[in-house]
C-alpha cells in the first residue's frame, strides 16, 4: 500500500484517502442542499499549501474552488457535470506538489554493445 498523499472529506464526515476519480465522483454525487453541501480535497499534512473544494449550489450546479499558494493560484468556477468535475480535479491534483512523494527521475539509457 502506498503512502497517503491527500484526502477528500465531505461535510457529513465521509473521508477517502488518495481518492480516485471514481471516488471523487461518488462523493460529489452524494452532495445535497441540506446536510452534505461540500467536499474538500487537500494534502494530508499540517499546513497544506493547496486545496480544492466542490460545493453544491443547487440540484445540478456546483462551485469548484482550486487554491495553490505555492503557485499563487486561486480559481473559482461553476459546473454542472459531475463526471467533468471529478476528472478535472483528478488532473489538477496530479500536478500538485506532495512533499512526501518521491521525486520523478529521468534516466538516460545508452546503447553500447
Amino acid at each position: 500500500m502506498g503512502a497517503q498523499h491527500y484526502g477528500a472529506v465531505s461535510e457529513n464526515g465521509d473521508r477517502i484517502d488518495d481518492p480516485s476519480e471514481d471516488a471523487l465522483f461518488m462523493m460529489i454525487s452524494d452532495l445535497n442542499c441540506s446536510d452534505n453541501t461540500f467536499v474538500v480535497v487537500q494534502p494530508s499534512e499540517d499546513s497544506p499549501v493547496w486545496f480544492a473544494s466542490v460545493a453544491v449550489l443547487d440540484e445540478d450546479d456546483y462551485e469548484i474552488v482550486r487554491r495553490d499558494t505555492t503557485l499563487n493560484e486561486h480559481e473559482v468556477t461553476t459546473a454542472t457535470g459531475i463526471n467533468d468535475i471529478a476528472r478535472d480535479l483528478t488532473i489538477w491534483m496530479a500536478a500538485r506538489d506532495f512533499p512526501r512523494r518521491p521525486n520523478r527521475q529521468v534516466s538516460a539509457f545508452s546503447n553500447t554493445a
Side-chain angles (χ1 to χ4, degrees):
M1 185 164 133
Q4 174 186 333
H5 298 297
Y6 59 93
V9 181
S10 63
E11 181 179 16
N12 70 359
D14 288 344
R15 178 176 176 83
I16 298 177
D17 293 328
D18 295 330
S20 65
E21 182 178 334
D22 289 340
L24 288 173
F25 176 89
M26 296 291 288
M27 290 185 88
I28 297 166
S29 296
D30 288 343
L31 296 179
N32 60 59
C33 294
S34 59
D35 63 351
N36 192 30
T37 62
F38 64 86
V39 172
V40 176
V41 184
Q42 64 185 21
S44 301
E45 55 190 44
D46 290 334
S47 298
V49 296
W50 65 262
F51 77 88
S53 67
V54 179
V56 66
L57 296 175
D58 59 42
E59 190 173 311
D60 294 320
D61 293 317
Y62 301 88
E63 178 183 78
I64 302 95
V65 177
R66 295 177 185 95
R67 176 107 171 124
D68 188 330
T69 59
T70 60
L71 300 174
N72 200 24
E73 180 180 59
H74 187 199
E75 179 182 329
V76 179
T77 60
T78 59
T80 57
I82 297 172
N83 278 328
D84 294 337
I85 296 168
R87 183 185 61 244
D88 291 348
L89 283 179
T90 302
I91 293 167
W92 185 81
M93 289 183 300
R96 301 305 98 191
D97 180 38
F98 296 98
R100 293 184 302 271
R101 178 169 61 185
N103 290 333
R104 297 180 193 170
Q105 279 189 315
V106 177
S107 59
F109 293 96
S110 62
N111 188 6
T112 56

